Amino acid sequence: MLGRVTAPPPDATQEGGQRIPQWGFRGWLGKLRARNLRVRAYHRPGTIERCAAPGAGPVARTTSAKMAAASSSDSDSGRAESKEANSKWLDAHYDPVANIHTFSACLVLADLHGDGEHKLVVGDLGPSGQQPRLKVLKGPTVLTESPLPALPAAAATFLMEQHEPQAPALALASGPCVYVYKNLRPYFKFSLPPLPPNPLEQDLWHQAKEDRIDPLTLKEMLEGIREKAEVPLSVQSLRFLQLELSEMEAFVNQHKSKTIKRQTVITTMTTLKKNLSDEDAVSCLVLGCENKELLVLDPEAFTILAKMSLPSVPVFLEASGQFDVEFRLAAACRNGNIYILRRDSKHPKYCIELSAQPVGLVRVHKVLVVGSTEDSLHGFTHKGKKLWTVQMPAAILTMNLLDQRSRGLQAVMAGLANGEVRIYRDKALLNIIRAPDAVTSLCFGRYGREENTLIMTTRGGGLIIKILKRTAVFVEAGGEVGPPPAQATKLNVPRKTRLYVDQTLREREAGTAMHRAFQTDLYLLRLRTARAYVQALESSLSPMSMTAREPLKLHAVVQGLGPIFKLTLHLQNPSTARPALGLLICFLYNEALYALPQAFFKVPLLVPGLNYPLETFVESLSDKGISDIIKVLVLREGQSAPLLSAHINMPVSEGLAAA
């Protein structure tokens, strides 16, 4: 052997071939790098072969192999060191088989025991959504692990009281309940209030209890209620509808005596400060439910302080402000809209309509950053005004906030399907992290005793831990910090001429008269516009019918060079459920200039929502290169006034003009 690898001391643990004595990130990383360099440089024995010449030993071949291995290892280590030197992150830990399957809402970093040692709380979905568990990690190892009754929806830490020592409580939303832990021990269980069941459903199960209907009839009637009723069915009825015919009778006999209960579930959760904005202030829990409601819970008694309604089911929540003073809630819902609610409103005050479904919602200062299924990030104000849009190179899988408090930096992190994690401040790209697998959850904060730690989990269940270097400074991709160079360029302002000075004096002296003249002209313009609009409505000159009983749309397309043109009329019935019958189309034109094969014909039945193209041909008779207007009138049988009309400016016939 040309080198010897010293065995680790007894107090060290082996994980993934790395020595981890304890969770001191930087000391551990320094020892790890030194050990890896020693192993690469010295523990590469050459291939010993027998030489043909007598007296020649294996030393020469071994020495050359050793030198080649040493040179290659030096180049590899040099490239690795240069790559790591250019990176802003230190690779602290990577376990591809950590078996953690979760998303960003179920990752929390918190000091659960109040000893300054922050731990990682994971609401693990389990492989394939089976066997959900609550895991608490200290460093790279799992500290505790406990099963959950249902799949977790969100996790959050909050302070319930101001008593010393201040140790935050852990809230985990799962199914219809919120499980609260203190010091990693169960403390309280809050259940959502039950919802009133469907009265028709109750009556059917009451009849089944008295054996007045058979299971097959019960199934048919429950299916009818599910399709038409506004109140959803209970879980008991939904399970019954999924059974086979052979299993229905036993299910009815088992459950017909039970009371029908309809229970909603929690879809999302966040925290809201109670009355102070301090970091260590008491916070309330805000729950988003499947029944399109938002609930604000008291942190001590766990009673419902406020209840707000939404048009759709919330999936992402962001809160700002204090509950007792003023607050805003932003809820991204399944209908593709984001609703903004304030303290005194039971219903949304503002609505942001997205062109695609949201996949993440993060509040950066006063800007709401939304990720959509169109592979893009959008920035909005709290009143719904769009500020910017950034296109991503791949689909967005997860989003979270990067808050570097030591430098006052807040940015948004987006995990993409191509394995990249992109960090943006507004629409400026700050950094790109490339992971070995697609990242499905992100969490940034203090872990252990390191302030700026990034936790990532991958699609295959891996765990990646990175530490932000203390000397790292995020610079925008352009490399320029501060105002743009164009802001410092002096404008070539022309000198004030005599005409400009005279005009300024005249405006100063006659400002009132000029304003009155402007207002008079403006009112006259509005009056003439209103008169023209009324005249167009009375004479049906608009291409769209304004009557509620006969909603119609008409537009025409002229094709051809002449002397024969193809005229296509597109007629549409925009009503929701009422077809249009008994319509006629009439053409008014100068017979000395144009000829049509049929100037008056009947329109077929117009089905709502469909576009009907009606084609005819127009022949130009003039050889002088002139054109005119053809009027198209849509009439109803028995009425002289048209429903709508259109004026078509016919083009000049190029065929006759050329002849």
Side-chain angles (χ1 to χ4, degrees):
M1 292 291 290
L2 298 176
R4 182 183 298 271
V5 180
T6 307
D11 58 350
T13 59
Q14 297 285 341
E15 177 154 337
Q18 300 174 353
R19 294 178 59 208
I20 309 175
Q22 55 186 350
W23 191 246
F25 270 131
R26 300 188 183 275
W28 170 54
L29 283 174
K31 295 179 181 179
L32 180 62
R33 288 194 197 120
R35 173 181 176 273
N36 288 341
L37 290 176
R38 287 199 305 270
V39 171
R40 281 199 294 263
Y42 300 112
H43 190 52
R44 291 181 181 267
T47 303
I48 301 177
E49 298 179 357
R50 186 178 301 275
C51 299
V59 179
R61 292 183 179 270
T62 304
T63 306
S64 60
K66 173 183 173 182
M67 293 174 63
S71 61
S72 63
S73 65
D74 290 342
S75 62
D76 293 343
S77 62
R79 285 194 296 268
E81 289 294 331
S82 63
K83 183 178 180 181
E84 188 172 359
N86 294 330
S87 176
K88 295 179 173 59
W89 303 88
L90 295 174
D91 297 326
H93 178 69
Y94 173 48
D95 184 5
V97 290
N99 197 23
I100 296 178
H101 304 272
T102 186
F103 46 95
S104 298
C106 291
L107 280 183
V108 179
L109 290 170
D111 182 11
L112 299 177
H113 296 95
D115 55 357
E117 190 81 16
H118 283 61
K119 299 173 181 63
L120 175 64
V121 180
V122 181
D124 191 0
L125 305 177
S128 303
Q130 303 293 330
Q131 299 176 353
R133 307 184 74 83
L134 175 64
K135 297 180 180 180
V136 179
L137 282 76
K138 180 180 179 181
T141 59
V142 178
L143 188 64
T144 61
E145 186 175 351
S146 56
L148 293 175
L151 291 176
T157 56
F158 66 106
L159 282 175
M160 299 172 54
E161 52 195 7
Q162 290 287 357
H163 301 306
E164 296 290 342
Q166 289 187 346
L170 170 65
L172 186 75
S174 178
C177 302
V178 177
Y179 301 94
V180 181
Y181 299 82
K182 291 196 72 174
N183 295 322
L184 292 181
R185 295 180 180 178
Y187 177 77
F188 188 81
K189 174 185 174 183
F190 171 79
S191 299
L192 295 176
L195 302 176
N198 193 317
L200 297 177
E201 179 188 4
Q202 274 187 321
D203 184 59
L204 287 177
W205 281 101
H206 183 69
Q207 294 181 24
K209 179 181 179 181
E210 297 177 354
D211 297 331
R212 286 189 289 170
I213 56 174
D214 58 336
L216 189 58
T217 307
L218 176 62
K219 179 182 179 182
E220 294 176 355
M221 300 185 73
L222 286 176
E223 287 179 345
I225 294 175
R226 182 174 62 175
E227 294 175 358
K228 299 179 181 179
E230 296 181 358
V231 180
L233 296 178
S234 63
V235 177
Q236 176 177 322
S237 298
L238 294 176
R239 288 178 179 175
F240 173 72
L241 294 177
Q242 296 176 350
L243 299 177
E244 301 291 337
L245 292 176
S246 58
E247 302 173 348
M248 289 182 181
E249 186 173 357
F251 186 88
V252 170
N253 293 333
Q254 182 181 357
H255 295 85
K256 64 183 180 180
S257 301
K258 297 182 179 180
T259 305
I260 298 297
K261 296 180 181 180
R262 193 165 67 90
Q263 184 73 52
T264 185
V265 295
I266 301 171
T267 57
T268 181
M269 180 176 65
T270 188
T271 58
L272 173 67
K273 299 296 182 182
K274 183 75 165 58
N275 46 27
L276 297 175
S277 60
D278 299 339
E279 184 181 352
D280 56 349
V282 175
S283 301
C284 303
L285 290 178
V286 184
L287 309 179
C289 304
E290 188 74 28
N291 61 334
K292 306 176 185 179
E293 286 185 348
L294 294 180
L295 305 179
V296 182
L297 302 184
D298 183 82
E300 295 183 3
F302 291 99
T303 56
I304 298 177
L305 298 177
K307 182 184 293 186
M308 290 160 277
S309 300
L310 292 171
S312 182
V313 180
V315 290
F316 299 105
L317 272 179
E318 279 293 335
S320 61
Q322 299 90 45
F323 178 78
D324 292 339
V325 184
E326 180 63 35
F327 66 87
R328 284 189 179 94
L329 294 177
C333 299
R334 288 182 187 162
N335 61 354
N337 295 338
I338 299 175
Y339 298 98
I340 312 297
L341 300 98
R342 303 188 70 174
R343 183 175 185 270
D344 299 327
S345 61
K346 299 295 182 183
H347 300 280
K349 188 173 181 64
Y350 302 103
C351 175
I352 303 173
E353 295 184 0
L354 303 177
S355 57
Q357 289 291 329
V359 296
L361 178 65
V362 176
R363 181 178 61 88
V364 182
H365 297 298
K366 293 185 179 181
V367 179
L368 290 174
V369 182
V370 186
S372 69
T373 53
E374 291 181 338
D375 307 344
S376 58
L377 288 178
H378 309 278
F380 294 92
T381 65
H382 280 282
K383 291 187 178 180
K385 180 182 178 182
K386 180 181 281 191
L387 300 176
W388 48 265
T389 299
V390 177
Q391 195 67 28
M392 298 287 108
I396 302 174
L397 300 182
T398 185
M399 292 172 56
N400 214 334
L401 177 68
L402 185 147
D403 188 5
Q404 190 182 5
R405 298 177 182 176
S406 59
R407 297 186 182 272
L409 170 69
Q410 281 194 353
V412 61
M413 303 181 294
L416 308 182
N418 61 354
E420 291 183 352
V421 176
R422 295 197 164 209
I423 303 175
Y424 285 89
R425 180 171 56 194
D426 292 334
K427 60 179 180 179
L429 178 62
L430 300 182
N431 190 236
I432 299 178
I433 302 172
R434 290 176 174 83
D437 194 4
V439 175
T440 56
S441 66
L442 294 164
C443 185
F444 183 86
R446 184 173 182 179
Y447 191 27
R449 298 189 181 274
E450 287 292 332
E451 289 291 338
N452 303 311
T453 307
L454 176 61
I455 311 294
M456 298 181 287
T457 64
T458 62
R459 182 179 292 168
L463 174 65
I464 303 173
I465 303 176
K466 291 180 178 289
I467 301 174
L468 183 64
K469 294 180 180 178
R470 295 177 182 175
T471 58
V473 177
F474 289 108
V475 181
E476 297 180 5
E480 298 176 355
V481 181
Q487 185 172 331
T489 304
K490 284 189 176 183
L491 298 178
N492 187 15
V493 181
R495 297 180 62 184
K496 294 181 181 179
T497 61
R498 182 64 184 173
L499 178 62
Y500 172 79
V501 175
D502 294 344
Q503 185 71 11
T504 304
L505 293 176
R506 188 180 73 86
E507 291 177 358
R508 185 179 302 172
E509 294 173 357
T512 304
M514 294 174 66
H515 178 70
R516 288 175 180 173
F518 170 77
Q519 290 294 326
T520 302
D521 294 342
L522 179 61
Y523 289 144
L524 287 176
L525 177 62
R526 290 175 177 173
L527 178 61
R528 290 169 183 168
T529 304
R531 285 176 177 173
Y533 181 65
V534 172
Q535 184 180 1
L537 292 181
E538 291 178 350
S539 58
S540 299
L541 295 178
S542 172
M544 183 172 180
S545 176
M546 296 300 173
T547 60
R549 297 184 59 185
E550 300 290 347
L552 295 173
K553 286 183 180 180
L554 173 67
H555 74 276
V557 178
V558 180
Q559 296 173 314
L561 300 176
I564 297 178
F565 299 94
K566 181 180 179 181
L567 176 59
T568 306
L569 302 177
H570 294 274
L571 194 59
Q572 185 179 3
N573 178 12
S575 66
T576 57
R578 185 175 181 179
L581 298 169
L583 300 180
L584 304 170
I585 287 185
C586 176
F587 295 96
L588 299 181
Y589 57 93
N590 189 346
E591 296 183 358
L593 298 178
Y594 298 106
L596 275 77
Q598 192 175 2
F600 186 83
F601 59 88
K602 193 172 183 180
V603 178
L605 180 143
L606 299 181
V607 177
L610 297 182
N611 184 25
Y612 288 84
L614 307 174
E615 299 177 352
T616 186
F617 292 93
V618 180
E619 182 180 0
S620 179
L621 304 178
S622 174
D623 57 353
K624 298 179 181 180
I626 59 176
S627 62
D628 199 4
I629 294 176
I630 296 180
K631 297 181 180 179
V632 183
L633 306 178
V634 180
L635 308 167
R636 174 167 288 284
E637 293 181 356
Q639 296 181 5
S640 58
L643 298 177
L644 55 90
S645 62
H647 290 190
I648 304 172
N649 293 313
M650 295 297 295
V652 176
S653 176
E654 298 183 7
L656 290 177

